[in-house]
Amino acid sequence: MRLLLTLLFASPLLAQSSQGGSELPPEEKLPFQMESTEFPAEVIDEVLVPNPAELFSILDKLGEPDWKSCMRPSSDLVRGGDRTDLALRFGTIIAEGFIAVQAEDPTSVLDLGRDIIELSRDLGLEDAVFPHCQAIIEATEKRNWDRVRQELDLTHRTVQDAMEQIRDEKLAQCVSIGGWLRGTEALTEVIGKNYNMDKAEILNQPELATYFIKKLEAMDSTKALDTIRQGLVEIQALMVQHPADSIPADTVTRIHSICSAMVANITPSANP
Amino acid sequence: MKTRLLACLSLAFFYWPAAADEEEIRDEAHTLILQSLGEYIEQDFTIPANYRNGEMDTGTRRIVRQQLFKGHVYWLWAATSFPGCEIKLDVLDNKGLDVVIERTEEDRVTGVRVNPTQTGAYYVVITITSETPQSVDWALVYGYR
């Protein structure tokens, strides 16, 4: 009875919410029954997407991954495409930057810094991004890798904020999706090379995959976005197929190949 | 270490001038949190730039989904800039069980520590109460090590 009263009381609040809260009651958004209290609850739909450094640092704790081997060979940045293509590509370049920092490869970080500036120019966000790129260059020259990670993280956040300020939240999501795909591609490569279940557990992220799928479903359909959505649906299914602590090696391999195909579409090589 | 501390504190000022009026009010809670994190930065916690914020009515709860990874120690902090409010933070696993193992409280910032035993989605519950009902800002920041 108390729960019913709570839900009845909560309904108008849910309807009035303008903070990205769910239209569904918590009971339909959570995998468990919320404890009934006098405080009505609202589930926020947005999910904080972890940056690649948060995941990579776990693998560092579990061994000594060869990050250098999972860096993409450097090639000229592919220019052009619509803003969705650019946003997806921007996300992958930021993730590539995190990989290059894990590999402590200053040449690649500096090259990627230049790519970030060029892409931000194409997106009309050069002024916002340029100070971060300068900081990345300075920190790289001092081999201050923690600082480079922070600046890459801030670059991502700055671009997302700038896109949201011009009411382009969908584009901001594309940056996150591109980054997550490239980050997951690198993770699965490292895990696959020296597999164990502890490492594979990092891939238990079906909620994030579901979140991205929902965001893509809300966007206008394009061939590129539809392909990514289909890939994410497959990844999500693979992530829930096994318990979190026993994701098998072949699942890791399969997720890797799906991510690789999508990342290759987002960042085709300029020098094939 | 000092560089990291300065960089983190500068985040507060980085976001401040560019924000619109409404955003400024919301970001006050975020700023409060960042200003309280010096001790954690010195303990090598990484504070991602990504955070959540918004507005809510006192006497209600907000539930934020958060992906946590086994192997990291997490601190999560929530704040409201409105004086006279009590803010409470809980973190539940996918069975609804409370996984908080330590709590701190300082002014209008509350923090909880979680050592996830499993990688996956967790549910951060923010409850704000006050003597008189009102709409207040909130922010949620996390750090890991």
Side-chain angles (χ1 to χ4, degrees), chain A residues 178-224:
Chain A
W180 188 80
L181 287 173
R182 177 63 187 114
T184 306
E185 182 192 18
L187 268 184
T188 45
E189 184 170 345
V190 168
I191 296 167
K193 278 180 183 164
N194 195 0
Y195 170 83
N196 71 39
M197 284 184 183
D198 272 346
K199 291 177 187 170
E201 190 177 334
I202 300 171
L203 296 171
N204 186 38
Q205 305 173 39
E207 284 258 355
L208 283 175
T210 303
Y211 170 70
F212 288 138
I213 292 164
K214 283 182 182 166
K215 291 293 171 188
L216 287 167
E217 283 171 349
M219 295 182 200
D220 293 337
S221 172
T222 68
K223 192 181 169 203

Side-chain angles (χ1 to χ4, degrees), chain A residues 13 19 30-32 34 39-40 42 44-46 54 57-58 61 150 153-154 157-158 161 201 204 207, chain B residues 7 11 15 48-50 52 57 59 61 63 65 67 69-72 74 93 118-119 121 123 142 145:
Chain A
L13 291 168
Q19 298 303 318
L30 300 173
F32 53 84
M34 277 294 288
F39 305 125
E42 182 179 326
I44 302 287
D45 283 333
E46 300 299 316
E54 183 175 340
S57 56
I58 296 173
K61 288 178 184 175
Q150 274 183 345
D153 194 23
L154 279 171
R157 176 77 202 195
T158 298
D161 283 350
E201 190 177 334
N204 186 38
E207 284 258 355
Chain B
L11 285 176
Y15 290 115
N50 221 352
R52 287 285 314 161
D57 294 324
R61 294 178 289 180
I63 303 165
R65 279 171 290 196
Q67 173 81 31
F69 296 91
K70 186 174 91 177
H72 280 328
Y74 287 90
D93 66 11
Q118 193 170 60
T119 292
Y123 301 84
Y142 78 101
R145 183 176 68 188

Side-chain angles (χ1 to χ4, degrees), chain B:
Chain B
M1 197 68 73
K2 274 184 182 167
T3 314
R4 294 185 69 201
L5 179 57
L6 282 172
C8 183
L9 290 174
S10 70
L11 285 176
F13 301 101
F14 173 77
Y15 290 115
W16 193 260
D21 287 350
E22 190 185 332
E23 199 60 37
E24 276 183 13
I25 297 166
R26 284 196 217 148
D27 266 0
E28 214 172 311
H30 180 225
T31 305
L32 267 178
I33 298 174
L34 293 182
Q35 287 172 342
S36 72
L37 297 187
E39 170 193 343
Y40 298 93
I41 307 288
E42 285 179 4
Q43 290 173 29
D44 259 351
F45 276 89
T46 299
I47 318 293
N50 221 352
Y51 68 99
R52 287 285 314 161
N53 65 0
E55 286 170 29
M56 63 190 279
D57 294 324
T58 56
T60 66
R61 294 178 289 180
R62 285 288 182 279
I63 303 165
V64 181
R65 279 171 290 196
Q66 170 99 30
Q67 173 81 31
L68 299 179
F69 296 91
K70 186 174 91 177
H72 280 328
V73 175
Y74 287 90
W75 271 97
L76 298 101
W77 302 275
T80 177
S81 69
F82 280 63
C85 292
E86 266 188 44
I87 185 160
K88 185 170 181 276
L89 203 51
D90 295 292
V91 183
L92 310 176
D93 66 11
N94 63 1
K95 294 185 181 78
L97 300 173
D98 190 356
V99 293
V100 169
I101 54 175
E102 189 181 349
R103 293 176 181 277
T104 62
E105 190 127 12
E106 190 181 319
D107 195 10
R108 284 160 284 169
V109 181
T110 186
V112 295
R113 179 163 66 91
V114 174
N115 292 5
T117 54
Q118 193 170 60
T119 292
Y122 288 76
Y123 301 84
V124 184
V125 185
I126 303 164
T127 311
I128 304 182
T129 52
S130 63
E131 280 190 15
T132 51
Q134 56 183 323
S135 179
V136 298
D137 65 341
W138 61 270
L140 176 70
V141 173
Y142 78 101
Y144 66 88
R145 183 176 68 188

Side-chain angles (χ1 to χ4, degrees), chain A residues 33-50:
Chain A
Q33 184 78 31
M34 277 294 288
E35 182 197 349
S36 173
T37 73
E38 75 256 47
F39 305 125
E42 182 179 326
V43 182
I44 302 287
D45 283 333
E46 300 299 316
V47 174
L48 281 181
V49 180

